[in-house]
Amino acid sequence: MSNKNNSLKVFVQKIGTALSGMVMPNIGAFIAWGLITALFIKTGWVPNENLAKLVDPMIIYLLPLLIAYTAGYNIHKQRGGVVAAISTMGVIVGTGSIMFLGAMLMGPLAAWLMKKFDDAVQPKIKTGFEMLVNNFSAGFLGFFLSIAGYYAIGPVVKVLNDTLAAGVNAIVNAHLIPLANIFIEPAKILFLNNAINHGILTPLGTQAAKETGKSILFLLEANPGVGLGILAAYVIFGKGAAKSSAFGAGVIHFFGGIHEIYFPYILMKPALIIAAICGGVSGTATIQFFNAGLKAPASPGSIIAILGLTAQDSYIGVIAGVTVAAVVTFIIASIILRRDTNMTGDLAAAQAQVAGMKAESKGQEVSSSNAQSISYDQVEKVIFACDAGMGSSAMGASILRDKFKKAGLDLPVTNMAIRNLQDGEKALIITQNELTARAKGMNSSALHVSVDNFLSSPRYDEVVEQLKK
């Protein structure tokens, strides 16, 4: 039974990573569309008939094509991205609908077919004919797939898309949407937050926002009130390292939007998931009561980003929803923590447990040894790598960059998604424990360092000392 459960976790994680990997790199485009919509449509802050003409083309063409290209690029680099975009255009034009789902299906399919063709044909191409074969193969495949998308795939996806949208609308109209948090809050602790938010809620929410000007779906996972309530309870009723670190974690979570930082605090006391669920349900119910929502997805889930994208008539509802989520979570979490007479506040152990859970969910085993092909004196750059290449890895890069500055080290420090790592680069790659095996698979010649938590690791100081030597 445990093997079956583990296989299911692996499958869900892979699907979730693929979905979020298509959308997250393009969140800036979604935000830009949301700002244009909020400002320039007839009911916007500063209505402008000419600039409002950007709204429909962006959501109908630009955003789905960006998703398709990104999905294709993730599978087969630029050739995959180009063919994915061409093919998805057939789906869009064939339906005339907002085709986020079509892009998520057609993009990967087209790129996969292009990759299979290249794997079979490219080794056999005669010298001097590479460009001819590559250009015409991509053109012909895109040609045929765009026609297939127009006549066959598009209509099927439209039916599926309309069915999903109708289901979401039915749940919202039945006032049952708060119950979604019963599943969302535990899933976040299993590191499915990006998959849920950017892979499912963002596309559906964007379509709803196009029709009504706002959507509550953007706030189901992104509401920072839950994490704030958990961390506030630790500030007052926690013990040891958990208590002393909770305030700083709360600032990073609430204003920086890095939700992963509060997950270890729940794992120290698993009963706190009850507080998170109650806070999430209460917050969403409050937002729904006020009929509030955002114009576009808030990423990261910072209160600053949320207020910046709140619909014009929704500020009271959104603020109330975040406040209620924080208060309810805080009250229940405080009761749980006060009744816990055995809590030791072992934050480091909880952070290690986070890494272990992520590894288990992906079916990975992490070796404690670090096989190295280059030495520290050969390192030319430092890369923080994670699934999405955003969020906590960006924070980790910022922390190490500051340490380098203080130590007088002049090395570039960047962050990126693991799928974008290039083999052969003379880099020191820092990943969380459960992702190190994947990173080594992408660049086996690099120097790899594993950490439990990007935001707090003693290994950063070790890295600085080794590089100084």
Side-chain angles (χ1 to χ4, degrees), residues 363-406:
Q364 298 172 345
E365 293 182 4
V366 180
S367 172
S368 58
S369 62
N370 282 326
Q372 303 169 4
S373 298
I374 66 171
S375 59
Y376 275 95
D377 60 356
Q378 296 174 292
V379 170
E380 297 176 353
K381 66 173 70 173
V382 178
I383 300 172
F384 279 74
C386 66
D387 270 333
M390 307 169 104
S392 56
S393 64
M395 291 291 294
S398 178
I399 292 170
L400 188 61
R401 198 176 293 119
D402 183 61
K403 289 181 178 290
F404 277 13
K405 183 178 180 180
K406 293 178 180 177

Side-chain angles (χ1 to χ4, degrees), residues 8-19:
L8 179 61
K9 288 181 182 179
V10 172
F11 176 76
V12 172
Q13 278 282 359
K14 286 182 177 179
I15 295 297
T17 298
L19 289 174

Side-chain angles (χ1 to χ4, degrees), residues 212-234:
T212 64
K214 60 188 176 184
S215 177
I216 190 176
L217 299 179
F218 295 135
L219 287 162
L220 294 186
E221 187 276 338
N223 189 336
V226 173
L228 182 64
I230 293 289
L231 295 169
Y234 268 100

Side-chain angles (χ1 to χ4, degrees), residues 161-177 204-205 207-209 211-212 214-217 288:
N161 193 60
D162 291 344
T163 301
L164 289 174
V168 172
N169 288 333
I171 292 173
V172 173
N173 292 334
H175 303 287
L176 297 176
I177 200 70
L204 292 177
Q207 184 167 340
E211 298 170 357
T212 64
K214 60 188 176 184
S215 177
I216 190 176
L217 299 179
Q288 186 176 46

Side-chain angles (χ1 to χ4, degrees), residues 30-85:
F30 280 86
I31 292 174
W33 174 83
L35 292 173
I36 291 171
T37 304
L39 291 172
F40 302 130
I41 62 173
K42 289 182 179 180
T43 57
W45 290 100
V46 284
N48 186 305
E49 183 178 353
N50 292 324
L51 293 177
K53 294 176 182 178
L54 290 168
V55 173
D56 284 350
M58 288 182 72
I59 193 172
I60 294 174
Y61 298 105
L62 176 64
L63 296 180
L65 290 176
L66 282 174
I67 289 174
Y69 180 87
T70 303
Y73 186 90
N74 291 343
I75 293 173
H76 194 42
K77 301 302 179 184
Q78 188 170 359
R79 281 172 63 75
V82 170
V83 174

Side-chain angles (χ1 to χ4, degrees), residues 12 20 31 38 44 47 52 67 72 80 82 92 111 146 240 251 275 280 313 315 368 394 405 449 464:
V12 172
S20 61
I31 292 174
I67 289 174
V82 170
I92 295 171
S146 64
V251 173
D313 61 351
Y315 280 96
S368 58
K405 183 178 180 180
V449 171
V464 172

Side-chain angles (χ1 to χ4, degrees), residues 306-372:
I306 287 173
L307 294 178
L309 292 167
T310 297
Q312 190 172 349
D313 61 351
S314 298
Y315 280 96
I316 293 177
V318 169
I319 293 172
V322 173
T323 303
V324 168
V327 171
V328 171
T329 304
F330 171 78
I331 291 173
I332 298 176
S334 297
I335 294 172
I336 293 172
L337 292 179
R338 290 186 66 183
R339 292 170 60 89
D340 182 12
T341 58
N342 297 319
M343 187 177 64
T344 61
D346 191 352
L347 182 60
Q351 290 171 341
Q353 186 182 359
V354 170
M357 289 181 65
K358 288 180 72 175
E360 180 187 359
S361 70
K362 297 182 182 181
Q364 298 172 345
E365 293 182 4
V366 180
S367 172
S368 58
S369 62
N370 282 326
Q372 303 169 4

